[in-house]
Amino acid sequence: MYDLMFRDGILKGKRILVTGGGTGLGEVMSEAYAQLGATVYICGRRKAVLDETAKTLSDKTKSKVTGIACDIRVAEAVDDMVAQIWADGGPLTGLVNNAAGNFISRTKDLSPRGFNAIADIVFRGSFYVTLSCGKRWIEGGNKGSVISILTTWIWNGGPFTVPSAMSKAGLNIMTKSLATEWGPHGIRLNAIAPGPFPTKGAWERLNPAASGGNTEARQTAGMARNGEMFELANLATFLMADGCDYLTGQTIAIDGGMHLAAGGNFARLAALGDAEWEAIRGQIRSANDKDKVQRSV
Ligand code: HXC
Ligand code: NAP
């Protein structure tokens, strides 16, 4: 349970889907929402991971947290999941586009499949979930709130994470475009661009040992520290709670000023050579392989 800046029960009656909510930052936001009274749905490809997180969060918070196995790259599977949620107690009130894939690589070493592995999750998958919820909200005359989890690279580029940077930049423009198009329906869209908040999923793929701890090395400017999970949870709650319905189409960085002071991206990896990149790829592949055997969809 987090020490949050909001009163207990502020999200009572809210029904929120957090994609990728079984791990990392998605789990953090799911816990905060459940702690504040919301009914929460989490999805991902590893059913056992979702079930364990859902049970832990339900036990801790006493709110209903449900795990649904769904690969957001598959538009039909997304629509089935969203229909299942609507049938289970009514419309969602909120969606967090948090699920993502990423890894550091020299762009010249990427295959088209490597690009798609990331773009299909982040760019296309997040759109499928947003569309599936949005069309139901519009048809039903319901209000809705969407938060997309981006990165600060949407403003200055993401060398060595180009498919992620391109995809997240696309979601940034989705946020602004739909804030206008769907505003008349009472649907608002905002986004959060976090700096470094260490998680297992991100650190195995962006900060493998063979990269020389590059993520830590970036902590030299601005507040020069990583984010604390409760800080993200507070911002994600502020954007989801009632009280600022007039706030839409905005992307808020929470990075201690890092991207302003020092870029906040992986530019320094330009110093690495072929042997280091080969070792990095091997370490990322072994993390991917371990996760893959746990996938149920
Ligand atoms: C180059 C690589 C690669 C690497 C994979 N590929 N790893 N290419 N360097 N290190 C290529 C493969 O060779 C293959 O292409 C293609 O990508 C697909 O590989 P798969 O392993 O089959 O992919 P898939 O099973 O679809 O898995 C997707 C994934 C994986 C993105 C690769 O990492 C994943 O599922 N990640 C989910 C969790 C995650 O990434 N979390 C981090 C989020 S952090 P070929 O052509 O060889 O077949 C984040 C920002 C954090 O987003 C910011 C911090 C500051
Ligand atoms: P993470 O724990 O690896 O989270 C990624 C989640 O997405 C996992 O739960 C994963 O579950 C899910 N996912 C991936 N592909 C999916 C698919 N096809 N369908 C459904 N779910 C899928 O990493 P994280 O650090 O918490 O990242 C969460 C979000 O924060 C991402 O959007 C990331 O870009 C963003 N972010 C993180 C940081 C940071 O410092 N940690 C900084 C900036 C932005 P499965 O593998 O089980 O599917």
Side-chain angles (χ1 to χ4, degrees), residues 45 73 101-102 111 113-114 205-206 281 288 292 295:
R45 294 164 298 178
R73 293 174 295 188
N102 202 355
S111 66
R113 267 174 51 81
R205 294 168 176 91
L206 297 164
R281 193 175 175 130
N288 285 343
K292 229 182 254 189
R295 285 186 201 161

Side-chain angles (χ1 to χ4, degrees), residues 28-265:
V28 169
M29 293 183 279
S30 299
E31 176 166 343
Y33 292 156
Q35 181 181 331
L36 293 167
T39 295
V40 178
Y41 297 86
I42 57 178
C43 75
R45 294 164 298 178
R46 290 168 292 166
K47 180 74 170 121
V49 170
L50 294 167
D51 287 347
E52 191 184 331
T53 301
K55 182 171 181 341
T56 306
L57 299 190
S58 304
D59 289 350
K60 264 199 217 178
T61 66
K62 309 299 173 218
S63 290
K64 183 177 161 195
V65 181
T66 308
I68 304 176
C70 176
D71 184 339
I72 64 163
R73 293 174 295 188
V74 183
E76 298 74 20
V78 167
D79 213 48
D80 287 350
M81 168 181 67
V82 172
Q84 183 187 332
I85 295 172
W86 248 251
D88 179 47
L92 284 171
T93 58
L95 161 68
V96 182
N97 287 315
N98 164 81
N102 202 355
F103 51 76
I104 48 169
S105 172
R106 291 186 295 202
T107 303
K108 76 178 184 62
D109 297 337
L110 288 173
S111 66
R113 267 174 51 81
F115 176 82
N116 288 336
I118 293 168
D120 285 351
I121 304 171
V122 180
F123 183 70
R124 294 192 177 76
S126 304
F127 178 76
Y128 299 154
V129 188
T130 306
L131 177 64
S132 189
C133 293
K135 67 183 187 192
R136 283 176 174 78
W137 283 326
I138 292 168
E139 277 163 20
N142 309 115
K143 283 173 33 168
S145 173
V146 180
I147 300 172
S148 296
I149 308 302
L150 308 181
T151 62
T152 59
W153 316 325
I154 58 160
W155 291 299
N156 62 340
F160 306 102
T161 53
V162 166
S164 167
M166 290 171 65
S167 300
K168 299 275 193 188
L171 295 184
N172 189 44
I173 278 299
M174 178 186 81
T175 299
K176 294 185 189 307
S177 308
L178 292 182
T180 303
E181 188 178 331
W182 289 356
H185 300 286
I187 300 169
R188 57 197 191 96
L189 293 95
N190 292 292
I192 296 175
F197 285 77
T199 65
K200 182 171 181 292
W203 259 232
E204 283 176 343
R205 294 168 176 91
L206 297 164
N207 198 30
S211 69
N214 69 79
T215 308
E216 307 310 326
R218 294 187 303 131
Q219 314 301 308
T220 54
M223 289 183 183
R225 66 168 173 88
N226 291 328
E228 298 279 353
M229 296 307 181
F230 76 89
E231 296 175 314
L232 178 76
N234 276 325
L235 178 56
T237 302
F238 168 71
L239 289 175
M240 191 56 86
D242 292 331
C244 56
D245 277 9
Y246 205 41
L247 198 170
T248 192
Q250 302 306 304
T251 300
I252 302 176
I254 177 163
D255 73 339
M258 190 173 299
H259 78 286
L260 299 173
N265 62 24

